[in-house]
Amino acid sequence: MAEIVIVADAEAAGDLAADAVLRRLSRATTPTWGVATGSTPLSTYRAIAARDHDLSGVRAFALDEYVGLPAGHPESYRAVLDRELVHPLGLNTEKVHVPDGSHEGLESAGERYEREIADAGGIEVQILGIGTDGHVGFNEPGSSLASRTRVKTLTEQTRQDNARFFDSPDDVPRHCVTQGLGTISRARHLILLAFGEGKAAAIAAAVEGPVTAAVPGSIIQLHPSVTVFVDEAAASRLAHADYYRHAYENKPRWQVL
Ligand code: PGA
């Protein structure tokens, strides 16, 4: 079972997730970090930045990228990660990998990205958000549980959810290159974060529903090492919330992430 940690707010989750990420990276022979964009991971990034660790040796892999945004577009995930992660945390931008969403060579973008991850020795710890439709990365409902990095078509729901970052909803790209569910599942540890009531249904389905391509986040149930950090609102539809709290309060001291 994934460890479900219910906390007061995103800041508290960010502190705990920062501990877990730094612990994993410092113990890894090759420190490789799977990073996510969106609002959800920001409190974790802030908490890590505040700790002033030297992360210049860490190799990072983004989950996904939009297809077809011009190079340097402020909402391309390469630019977002530069702004929100690379500079504040002192990562080496040359060690931050993002799928290639440019139109040229798109057919091989997935394969090339898979090779980059494999050449780096795989991903040690992967940060994940979850979409209101249950997506992880940009693996929309229906994505194969075994999928690898490839081009996907975004749902209209995801385009609407992300329209807030663009001047007009029409500007949100229709396609992306995303790590597959099979790719994500190979990371050695997964940290899934979710905040707010809007994520409650997706979290309940991912944590307690059936494992199904209809809820891509449900892949966490097949992974041997997962921590889910949620605030009270995102946890509000979990049937076994009391048990998760009890298990966390009684966690054996040796059982660190
Ligand atoms: P959000 O997005 O962090 O901006 O809520 C999560 C996701 O779509 O995976």
Side-chain angles (χ1 to χ4, degrees):
M1 187 188 101
E3 178 179 38
I4 317 297
V5 184
I6 303 170
V7 292
D9 53 29
E11 298 329 298
D15 262 339
L16 292 171
D19 286 344
V21 167
L22 292 173
R23 203 178 301 126
R24 285 261 158 189
L25 292 178
S26 64
R27 284 188 195 153
T29 32
T30 47
T32 44
W33 184 19
V35 294
T37 47
S39 321
T40 304
L42 295 179
S43 61
T44 302
Y45 298 159
R46 272 197 301 274
I48 292 177
R51 289 175 207 197
D52 222 12
H53 265 257
D54 177 9
L55 297 177
S56 58
V58 169
R59 195 166 285 283
F61 287 89
L63 278 171
D64 43 19
E65 177 60 289
Y66 290 115
V67 165
L69 289 182
H73 188 289
E75 291 311 323
S76 71
Y77 284 171
R78 164 68 71 187
V80 170
L81 287 170
D82 268 347
R83 214 163 47 229
E84 292 174 349
L85 187 79
V86 175
H87 298 306
L89 275 68
L91 291 174
N92 176 350
T93 192
E94 285 173 12
K95 291 189 170 168
V96 177
H97 302 244
V98 181
D100 181 3
S102 56
H103 285 297
E104 303 75 39
L106 202 50
E107 317 78 57
S108 65
E111 211 176 296
R112 282 183 277 130
Y113 201 60
E114 290 286 329
R115 210 173 309 130
E116 288 171 35
I117 295 173
D119 288 350
I123 291 171
E124 180 61 27
V125 54
Q126 174 69 57
I127 297 279
L128 297 170
I130 188 164
T132 55
D133 64 359
H135 74 219
V136 288
F138 270 142
N139 295 280
E140 299 288 21
S143 294
S144 158
L145 302 182
S147 50
R148 311 308 295 261
T149 307
R150 72 230 182 277
V151 174
K152 285 290 287 179
T153 306
L154 299 175
T155 61
E156 283 307 301
Q157 174 72 55
T158 298
R159 293 186 68 239
Q160 275 169 32
D161 286 348
N162 290 5
R164 66 189 192 277
F165 298 115
F166 290 82
D167 291 339
S168 132
D170 287 343
D171 293 347
V172 184
R174 292 200 151 67
H175 297 96
C176 63
V177 183
T178 181
Q179 282 190 34
L181 295 174
T183 317
I184 292 167
S185 301
R186 286 182 174 208
R188 291 184 275 282
H189 185 76
L190 304 178
I191 295 178
L192 173 64
L193 301 133
F195 310 119
E197 209 181 335
K199 299 291 175 76
I203 281 293
V207 172
E208 295 178 338
V211 175
T212 167
V215 181
S218 65
I219 54 152
I220 61 168
Q221 297 180 44
L222 295 172
H223 195 288
S225 183
V226 182
T227 310
V228 179
F229 292 105
V230 278
D231 65 4
E232 295 286 347
S236 59
R237 295 212 200 174
L238 288 170
H240 304 295
D242 287 347
Y243 173 61
Y244 307 141
R245 285 195 184 91
H246 176 74
Y248 188 64
E249 280 159 16
N250 291 286
K251 183 172 171 167
R253 288 173 69 94
W254 52 265
Q255 211 179 42
V256 287
L257 285 168

